[in-house]
Amino acid sequence: MYRLNLPQYEIKINRQGGKPYILDMLRRKYVSLTPEEWVRQHFVNFLISHKGYPQALMANEVELRAGDKRLRCDSVLYNKAAQPIMIIEYKAPTVQITQSVFDQITAYNQLLHVDYLIVSNGLQHYCCRMDYANRAYAFLTDIPTYADL
């Protein structure tokens, strides 16, 4: 797989039917190892192990509904009152972070109305804090710790 701009961790991979699967610590099961999943698992580990995000307050593959349309957030962080406060969108390392990626996460946020949005391809990470009162957002220079949210 790809070398990422994220800390390494003890990765658990197995093979099923000749295909590689990686352990998703949030879903507590092995999932198909795609380049995007490689980024997700590294990023989730980074948030938990290095930024203090509680594993119990994070979820992967969160389904949203907008009328008949179904959307799926890659990861969502909740506060202790079980309200979503952050959406995280992952792309494969070969996918550039473009405006269309931000448009995608913004569509999810129309439904969840969170305080933070993060986009990562494992090499580049962008985090912004929403300012709903002023209808604006600010890009942060670093991913905040959970204590700073």
Side-chain angles (χ1 to χ4, degrees):
M1 272 291 152
Y2 300 92
R3 183 164 180 82
L4 304 177
N5 185 17
L6 290 163
Q8 300 221 359
Y9 74 103
E10 188 178 330
I11 302 161
K12 294 184 179 173
I13 295 177
N14 73 19
R15 291 187 109 39
Q16 298 174 16
K19 295 182 180 181
Y21 285 74
I22 188 168
L23 181 64
D24 182 328
M25 69 175 74
L26 299 183
R27 291 181 274 183
R28 295 185 177 107
K29 68 178 185 176
Y30 281 89
V31 296
S32 182
L33 178 54
T34 63
E36 182 177 311
E37 195 63 49
W38 182 253
V39 172
R40 181 197 330 251
Q41 296 308 317
H42 278 78
F43 205 89
V44 166
N45 180 74
F46 164 68
L47 292 177
I48 293 168
S49 299
H50 299 272
K51 294 293 183 172
Y53 287 46
Q55 181 174 340
L57 297 180
M58 296 183 71
N60 284 338
E61 294 293 321
V62 175
E63 186 175 295
L64 305 175
R65 292 185 185 207
D68 291 340
K69 192 173 184 181
R70 289 183 173 189
L71 305 171
R72 192 173 300 270
C73 294
D74 287 339
S75 295
V76 175
L77 172 70
Y78 298 88
N79 63 19
K80 292 176 183 173
Q83 298 168 320
I85 57 173
M86 179 183 286
I87 302 170
I88 310 162
E89 178 65 25
Y90 310 105
K91 296 297 178 191
T94 56
V95 175
Q96 289 190 353
I97 306 291
T98 62
Q99 184 60 49
S100 66
V101 176
F102 285 100
D103 292 346
Q104 180 183 2
I105 199 169
T106 300
Y108 302 154
N109 198 35
Q110 298 269 335
L111 299 170
L112 293 182
H113 205 74
V114 299
D115 295 329
Y116 295 90
L117 301 175
I118 295 178
V119 175
S120 176
N121 65 3
L123 303 172
Q124 297 176 299
H125 324 295
Y126 297 94
C127 179
C128 61
R129 179 173 172 77
M130 305 304 295
D131 179 355
Y132 294 104
N134 294 308
R135 294 184 174 184
Y137 57 89
F139 280 95
L140 306 179
T141 57
D142 194 15
I143 308 294
T145 64
Y146 186 76
D148 291 336
L149 295 180

